[in-house]
Amino acid sequence: MKNVDDLIDSASELAEQGLSKGEIADELNVSRETASWLVERGGTNASASDVVSSSASDIHVDWSAFGRDSTRLNHLGAAMADMLSSESENVDLTIGIEKAGVPLATSVARILDTDLGAYAPRKHQWEEGDIDEHGGTFSRNFAGIRDRECYVVDDTITSGTTMTETVEAIRNEGGEPVACMVLVDKRGVDEIEGVPVYSLLQVISVAGE
């Protein structure tokens, strides 16, 4: 995708497939607010250049060149694992945040020799209104959380809401998150809920007058 109009087309296609706006945000690596704006724009005839929106402050990250190739994906996982490897000797669980965080977490878990967990955040059920009405879930097809130290892996941090939710959910299950790892941090955070955050890339928006 090269421009905002491409994003609008993609958002429209995903909406037609029945994805919630929260899932669309996850697929396009944008905030929920931006996803909502893109879907709404898809229902008009005007191009994105014809309007001014607060969504312009968001940044779209397209890492599909890595995601579609298992070898490249493993190299990303190796870089993430390398950054996490010195955090703790007691970590035996890596939790991926669905959807995109799970394949990254799988690679990290293989390299660090940990079990693998998966968390589906509540934004996947979000359409409009209060997101707190919904709850996230840990997949029962993966490893359990209780009494275990763990790493948390995702592809991007946009607002920090999903990562904060995941850290809290892990603690509610009796686990202890030791560190968070993402491919791209669009917010520029050092920690979330007292847990250090590491990223391969930090995106900093510099706005002039």
Side-chain angles (χ1 to χ4, degrees), residues 16-54:
E16 290 174 0
Q17 293 172 17
L19 273 69
S20 70
K21 289 180 180 177
E23 289 175 307
I24 293 171
D26 199 38
E27 286 290 328
L28 299 181
N29 293 322
V30 296
S31 69
R32 296 189 305 275
E33 293 75 18
T34 299
S36 182
W37 180 84
L38 291 170
V39 172
E40 290 168 2
R41 291 307 305 161
T44 69
N45 294 322
S47 69
S49 59
D50 294 331
V51 295
V52 178
S53 169
S54 60

Side-chain angles (χ1 to χ4, degrees), residues 176-195:
E176 182 56 40
V178 172
C180 302
M181 183 75 225
V182 296
L183 173 60
V184 179
D185 179 6
K186 297 197 287 184
R187 184 183 173 191
V189 295
D190 294 324
E191 66 175 38
I192 288 179
E193 297 292 309
V195 181

Side-chain angles (χ1 to χ4, degrees), residues 105-117:
T106 301
S107 180
V108 171
R110 180 183 62 82
I111 293 168
L112 296 181
D113 194 24
T114 73
D115 286 348
L116 179 67

